[in-house]
Amino acid sequence: MRYLGAVPKDEFASKLQSLLGLAETENSEAATKDTPKDLFSQLSPTLINQLADAKPTTFPDASKILGTYLETVLNQPAKADQDEDPNANASAADNSIRQLLLSGRTPATLDTQQAIAHLDQGERNRYNQLNNEVNGVAITHPGAPPRAMILQDRAQPVEPVIFKRGVPGNRGDRVPRRFLQVLEMVDQGQPFKNGSGRLELAKAIASPKNPLTARVLVNRIWQHQFGEGLVRSPSDFGIRGERPTHPELLDYLAKRFIDGGWSIKKLQKEIMLSKTWQQSSRMRSDAFEADPENRLLWHMPRRRLEFEPLRDRLLVAANQLDEKIGGRSVKIHEEAKRRAIYAYIDREDLPGLLANFDLPSPDASRAQRSETTVPQQALYLMNSPFVLQQAKKLSADSLTGSAPFPEKEINTQRVRKMYHQALSRDPQPDELAMALQFTDSANVNAFRDKLKQQAADNPPPAWTYGYGGWVDGSVSFETFPFYNGNSWQFSGELPHPQYQYLHLTAAGGHTGSAKNLSPIRRWTAPANGTYRINGKLNHPAEQGDGVTALLVQSDKGLLEQWTAHHKETPTVVQEIQIQKGQHLYLIVHLNENTGWDSFHWSVSIERLAQKLQTVNTEQQKLNAEQQAGFTPSHWDSAADFSSNSSLQQSSQTENILDPWTQLAQALLLSNEFAFVD
């Protein structure tokens, strides 16, 4: 083809026919000096015949014939026995070409990067998704080897220069790599000589001669224990920072820290065994008047636990903490039970929960964590599944091993056990009396009767909102755990770290990253009858490959499906026979590619009129329908969304906590639990 591509256009047809004739005669003497004598000797007779029959007049026409031939050869099975084949020569040549194509040593074979470059946007999105899943396995799988980021010195270290007036192109004198000039007493101001100097820099920072490192670190540890450091400007020990309140103590602890081998554990132990750390947090009016800021440490400051130790303490109280040492980091804002010291933090995607509890941005160094009190903190502690799980576990553990004593004594043991586990103390007499009254069997039974009455008075909503999918001939459905007033989703974070943009609103929503993670509206039939479905599925985006909507009946399976891509598709089913209590699942899932999968799908369900006895007035008709057990005859997915969401939300929360679990939760949410006092 390279040879033919060089043939002038006006000579192409005649030159090709001349070459084909040369190949057919297999006369090597007929080759000219401009034509390699073995140019066509290796070609398949099948290809030569196709070119001879088609008589292409241009190079592109000949290329199409060659391409069709190569595709045919590649897809045909190899000939196992050529001796009995009447077209043995053709088969042998075709097999040779086929083996060459399969070897990957042809101009038409693309390497990985070339293949990626030829993907369209949808294919590239799918490739990136699969590649991220592979990388996720390498990062998160328990069997994957541990990895760490490292730095490697250049063979020739760069000698930095001064940029005059900050302009990189206006270079001044060279600056040797060395430690800070103001601390030259550490290494006598000598330039670094070994490679980049990183090791020499580390040794200078951790040198006993360095007057700052030990003092700064001791101050940070003191700040962690007391809320404020001995120097209250922890990142500024210069002339603009505050002077230490106890300079001799700071020097003493810094010396002890260095002499102890820079052991943080030894330093923590020495501080916590001191009378200063062990003193009471009670206020004294005379001391408060003399030192209202407690700079002289006349009492132990009362401090609120940060989110990480508060979370760990919840797990300890419920006997759920995983005390394994070492190993992979975990996402503590999800369901992990390891200590928060192993928290996984993504600098580009800090979870909103951690930010709500004042976790500093990982993009910059922060000497002291700010402390705020915002509604999101209280709402999380009162409503999050994680906290409720610990309360349930604490309540259940308090009953374990209770002896066969009278009920009051058993309940007294349970209350004491819960106080021991949560607050590490016995309840006060008034606390015990209140807890026993709250958990009295009569109150518990009344609570359960109330729940039963609520269930009878408030039948389940017609619409329920969740996720799942239609996979392998069966439907899976789980209710969404979180409703923000406009949207059902997995949590207050959108996109969610695991489920991305999966959510459901009154008008539509967004699909998940797989077909078994699709938003679903489940409608429950209130009565036997014939129903009609009307709706419109709209996929507004031009990008992506659209979405597919499914209508599934609980006893009959898949009834209908519709697809929309950058258009509106009617979703109509004229008649469906449904029995009372059966479900219709309205599912929307992605097609092949992720991305651009937002959709709108409004659906109305109408119960068709049935023949009733002759009536004369609307009131008689209504009475007849009520006698037949009929309910309202029209449901609209968009109009009913808000009211049904409220019903679903209340049904998910009202039946969670019995009195014992409520008592456990009250202990876990108390100030005594959340503060170091």
Side-chain angles (χ1 to χ4, degrees):
M1 295 304 293
R2 189 180 294 113
Y3 176 81
L4 292 177
V7 176
K9 293 182 179 180
D10 55 350
E11 301 178 12
F12 184 83
S14 59
K15 192 72 172 178
L16 178 61
Q17 293 304 317
S18 174
L19 292 174
L20 291 175
L22 175 64
E24 290 175 350
T25 61
E26 297 184 356
N27 183 6
S28 61
E29 298 297 330
T32 67
K33 64 180 181 178
D34 297 327
T35 306
K37 68 178 183 178
D38 60 346
L39 180 65
F40 276 61
S41 62
Q42 302 295 324
L43 286 184
S44 165
T46 304
L47 176 59
I48 293 175
N49 292 335
Q50 290 178 0
L51 290 170
D53 294 341
K55 296 182 175 57
T57 58
T58 64
F59 180 74
D61 293 339
S63 299
K64 291 179 181 179
I65 295 172
L66 176 60
T68 302
Y69 164 76
L70 294 177
E71 186 175 358
T72 302
V73 169
L74 183 61
N75 293 329
Q76 72 183 10
K79 296 291 184 180
D81 187 358
Q82 300 172 359
D83 294 337
E84 299 179 1
D85 189 348
N87 299 318
N89 291 336
S91 298
D94 291 348
N95 280 338
S96 298
I97 293 294
R98 184 172 183 274
Q99 295 301 321
L100 179 62
L101 293 174
L102 293 175
S103 70
R105 300 191 301 271
T106 68
T109 302
L110 303 180
D111 60 26
T112 301
Q113 295 303 319
Q114 291 171 329
I116 294 172
H118 283 77
L119 299 177
D120 61 30
Q121 187 60 49
E123 294 169 335
R124 187 180 294 273
N125 290 340
R126 179 60 176 165
Y127 168 80
N128 290 335
Q129 177 194 359
L130 295 175
N131 199 40
N132 289 337
E133 291 177 1
V134 172
N135 293 335
V137 171
I139 295 172
T140 62
H141 193 278
R147 293 175 172 83
M149 298 295 292
I150 63 171
L151 294 175
Q152 185 175 2
D153 286 348
R154 292 183 176 182
Q156 295 294 330
V158 176
E159 287 289 344
V161 298
I162 295 175
F163 294 160
K164 293 183 177 179
R165 304 182 66 85
V167 180
N170 187 10
R171 301 196 169 195
D173 298 336
R174 292 190 176 276
V175 181
R177 299 184 304 280
R178 50 162 293 176
F179 197 46
L180 299 175
Q181 186 174 359
V182 71
L183 298 176
E184 63 180 6
M185 77 287 293
V186 174
D187 60 357
Q188 289 72 50
Q190 296 298 316
F192 297 149
K193 300 176 181 178
N194 300 325
S196 65
R198 288 190 299 117
L199 178 59
E200 293 167 284
L201 174 62
K203 290 181 177 180
I205 292 174
S207 171
K209 298 179 180 179
N210 189 329
L212 281 179
T213 304
R215 288 176 173 83
V216 170
L217 192 49
V218 164
N219 191 63
R220 295 288 180 92
I221 294 172
W222 188 275
Q223 173 183 279
H224 178 73
Q225 294 290 350
F226 290 87
E228 294 287 352
L230 296 171
V231 178
R232 297 202 171 193
S233 54
S235 287
D236 191 349
F237 275 42
I239 58 174
R240 296 185 179 181
E242 292 195 33
R243 297 181 64 82
T245 56
H246 300 72
E248 295 84 358
L249 176 60
L250 180 63
D251 291 346
Y252 167 79
L253 290 176
K255 181 67 166 57
R256 295 280 293 174
F257 183 46
I258 295 173
D259 293 344
W262 301 80
S263 171
I264 294 178
K265 181 179 292 187
K266 291 181 180 179
L267 178 62
Q268 296 266 31
K269 182 178 180 180
E270 183 164 0
I271 293 175
M272 296 172 73
L273 290 177
S274 67
K275 291 183 178 180
T276 303
W277 190 89
Q278 296 179 6
Q279 64 184 329
S280 170
S281 297
R282 293 181 180 179
M283 300 290 287
R284 303 200 317 267
S285 57
D286 57 338
F288 181 78
E289 291 178 2
D291 179 23
E293 295 185 2
N294 193 35
R295 289 178 176 264
L296 301 179
L297 298 171
W298 52 270
H299 75 108
M300 183 65 180
R302 183 180 290 109
R303 295 178 297 111
R304 190 178 77 183
L305 288 176
E306 298 169 340
F307 176 76
E308 298 94 313
L310 176 61
R311 171 194 169 274
D312 287 357
R313 190 173 184 186
L314 287 168
L315 290 170
V316 170
N319 198 26
Q320 293 280 81
L321 184 66
D322 181 357
E323 298 181 354
K324 175 185 174 183
I325 297 177
R328 291 184 172 276
S329 57
V330 295
K331 296 181 179 181
I332 62 171
H333 58 286
E334 296 179 359
E335 296 301 318
K337 295 180 180 179
R338 299 201 64 193
R339 294 176 59 201
I341 195 173
Y342 297 107
Y344 171 82
I345 300 296
D346 186 346
R347 293 190 177 189
E348 296 182 355
D349 186 19
L350 182 67
L353 170 63
L354 302 184
N356 288 339
F357 280 87
D358 306 318
L359 189 78
S361 170
D363 293 332
S365 176
R366 187 74 175 268
Q368 194 169 15
R369 183 177 298 194
S370 59
E371 186 175 291
T372 63
T373 302
V374 295
Q376 290 88 336
Q377 297 168 356
L379 290 173
Y380 171 80
L381 294 173
M382 289 190 294
N383 301 316
S384 76
F386 173 79
V387 178
L388 295 178
Q389 287 171 8
Q390 313 320 312
K392 291 179 180 179
K393 184 65 166 52
L394 176 59
S395 172
D397 287 350
S398 68
L399 184 60
T400 304
S402 295
F405 294 121
E407 179 184 353
K408 183 175 182 180
E409 190 167 346
I410 293 176
N411 289 350
T412 301
Q413 291 179 4
R414 289 192 68 180
V415 172
R416 285 176 174 161
K417 190 178 294 185
M418 292 172 68
Y419 267 81
H420 287 168
Q421 192 69 16
L423 304 179
S424 300
R425 67 173 176 86
D426 279 327
Q428 298 293 331
D430 58 335
E431 293 173 331
L432 179 60
M434 291 176 60
L436 291 176
Q437 181 182 1
F438 183 73
T439 57
D440 181 71
S441 59
N443 293 335
V444 173
N445 292 332
F447 173 80
R448 292 172 179 169
D449 292 340
K450 180 180 179 182
L451 291 182
K452 292 178 181 179
Q453 187 62 42
Q454 286 179 346
D457 295 342
N458 300 306
W463 297 97
T464 309
Y465 309 100
Y467 64 97
W470 174 254
V471 181
D472 297 331
S474 63
V475 65
S476 62
F477 179 82
E478 295 287 342
T479 56
F480 276 117
F482 181 81
Y483 180 62
N484 65 7
N486 296 304
S487 170
W488 280 100
Q489 52 203 51
F490 276 92
S491 70
E493 294 183 79
L494 193 70
H496 188 272
Q498 181 178 356
Y499 300 102
Q500 300 301 313
Y501 290 94
L502 174 58
H503 70 280
L504 196 58
T505 65
H510 194 288
T511 68
S513 58
K515 292 185 178 180
N516 63 341
L517 290 175
S518 302
I520 302 177
R521 302 174 197 268
R522 185 180 70 183
W523 180 80
T524 304
N528 301 344
T530 303
Y531 296 82
R532 176 184 294 141
I533 310 295
N534 283 289
K536 294 180 180 180
L537 174 67
N538 182 24
H539 178 263
E542 184 176 357
Q543 300 89 340
D545 60 353
V547 297
T548 296
L550 308 177
L551 179 64
V552 177
Q553 189 171 344
S554 54
D555 64 328
K556 296 180 181 178
L558 181 63
L559 300 179
E560 294 286 349
Q561 70 179 45
W562 306 271
T563 299
H565 177 209
H566 191 47
K567 66 177 183 179
E568 187 175 82
T569 300
T571 57
V572 179
V573 179
Q574 294 297 339
E575 291 187 2
I576 302 176
Q577 294 291 331
I578 308 178
Q579 302 299 311
K580 180 179 179 179
Q582 291 184 345
H583 303 305
L584 288 180
Y585 297 91
L586 286 70
I587 308 171
V588 181
H589 67 64
L590 79 172
N591 290 326
E592 293 300 324
N593 302 321
T594 59
W596 308 101
D597 288 335
S598 291
F599 65 90
H600 299 125
W601 192 16
S602 57
V603 176
S604 65
I605 301 177
E606 179 184 5
R607 180 173 56 79
L608 301 181
Q610 299 187 18
K611 293 182 179 180
L612 300 171
Q613 60 184 2
T614 303
V615 294
N616 297 323
T617 66
E618 288 296 323
Q619 183 61 42
Q620 290 177 331
K621 180 179 179 181
L622 177 60
N623 293 339
E625 288 190 348
Q626 291 176 344
Q627 291 174 6
F630 294 138
T631 57
S633 59
H634 186 271
W635 297 264
D636 186 280
S637 64
D640 301 343
F641 184 80
S642 177
S643 60
N644 278 257
S645 292
S646 298
L647 289 174
Q648 177 176 333
Q649 191 176 28
S650 62
S651 67
Q652 289 180 352
T653 57
E654 284 180 356
N655 301 333
I656 289 179
L657 305 180
D658 63 18
W660 282 103
T661 307
Q662 292 182 41
L663 175 61
Q665 186 187 27
L667 295 177
L668 298 180
L669 299 187
S670 64
N671 282 345
E672 185 176 350
F673 186 89
F675 280 75
V676 178
D677 190 343

